[in-house]
Amino acid sequence: MIRSHLFVPSKRGYARGERPKVDCILCEIVAQRDTVTRLEVYRTEPFLVSLNIHPYTTGHLMIFPTRHVEDPRDLKPKEVTALHKIQCLALDVLTQRYRPAGFNVGYNYGDASGASISHFHLHLVPRYPREIGFMDILGGAKIMVEDPSEMIAEIRQHFLRLEKEQN
Ligand SMILES: [Zn+2]
């Protein structure tokens, strides 16, 4: 007999690194528990912004609701409005801090999507005109490596400053 669970993609571990043994990593971050690396940079009542622990590019942020929501259709209209507002603020922060040439913005949803966390989260990935490749490294180009703890402090300041300016 073929059992249906054989077709469920493995959710064990991240692509890189070990996954903490908790029910939901993002809920742990919301609750400010020490079970997870806390990379929170900003929060409003319904949403929290965090650095991505495995960034695709410098400045890769995630925005997620402070309540455990898995399906984007379960967001309430006022949460959708708040999400858009915080997304715009985050894009302003990243634009000001990193001057990217563009962004990839989106979410993965459902077992086959590649999502490793079921809690709804929106990725903001800044894109740069010359993302560094192997030839750049050989050519001696400067590689952007930032200390996450310094990055967090600095991005937090950007959020607070821009929030003040825009209100
Ligand atoms: Zn959660």
Side-chain angles (χ1 to χ4, degrees):
M1 186 178 120
I2 297 169
R3 290 159 69 159
S4 62
H5 76 258
L6 292 176
F7 299 102
V8 177
S10 172
K11 291 272 204 165
R12 271 186 224 144
Y14 285 117
R16 291 167 282 172
E18 274 298 305
R19 185 175 196 169
K21 288 177 179 58
V22 295
D23 286 342
C24 175
I25 291 170
L26 301 190
C27 284
E28 295 289 298
I29 293 174
V30 169
Q32 300 190 310
R33 298 209 177 93
D34 292 328
T35 46
V36 291
T37 309
R38 281 193 251 139
L39 300 170
E40 175 178 340
V41 290
Y42 182 76
R43 83 161 80 188
T44 57
E45 175 52 37
F47 287 94
L48 192 151
V49 185
S50 157
L51 296 183
N52 196 305
I53 196 158
H54 301 304
Y56 298 143
T57 64
T58 297
H60 180 174
L61 298 180
M62 296 195 313
I63 302 173
F64 49 92
T66 52
R67 69 185 182 97
H68 186 92
V69 174
E70 297 193 354
D71 188 324
R73 289 166 289 193
D74 291 336
L75 290 173
K76 295 167 182 162
K78 69 175 185 185
E79 289 174 320
V80 174
T81 305
L83 175 61
H84 183 70
K85 198 176 167 199
I86 199 166
Q87 180 187 325
C88 292
L89 179 63
L91 290 170
D92 285 345
V93 166
L94 292 172
T95 299
Q96 195 177 84
R97 173 62 183 82
Y98 296 108
R99 302 271 163 219
F103 291 95
N104 291 119
V105 178
Y107 54 86
N108 301 324
Y109 163 61
D111 281 341
S113 71
S116 59
I117 300 171
S118 62
H119 190 134
F120 172 81
H121 55 287
L122 186 71
H123 291 277
L124 301 186
V125 183
R127 302 305 301 265
Y128 303 95
R130 269 182 91 245
E131 282 173 12
I132 196 143
F134 185 59
M135 294 309 289
D136 296 314
I137 296 168
L138 286 181
K142 190 170 180 287
I143 305 169
M144 278 189 294
V145 179
E146 296 196 54
D147 180 339
S149 57
E150 284 174 25
M151 239 173 112
I152 285 179
E154 206 192 324
I155 290 180
R156 275 182 190 153
Q157 290 308 314
H158 274 281
F159 266 101
L160 294 177
R161 196 172 63 238
L162 276 185
E163 183 197 38
K164 222 179 257 175
E165 281 173 23
Q166 292 178 4
N167 284 327

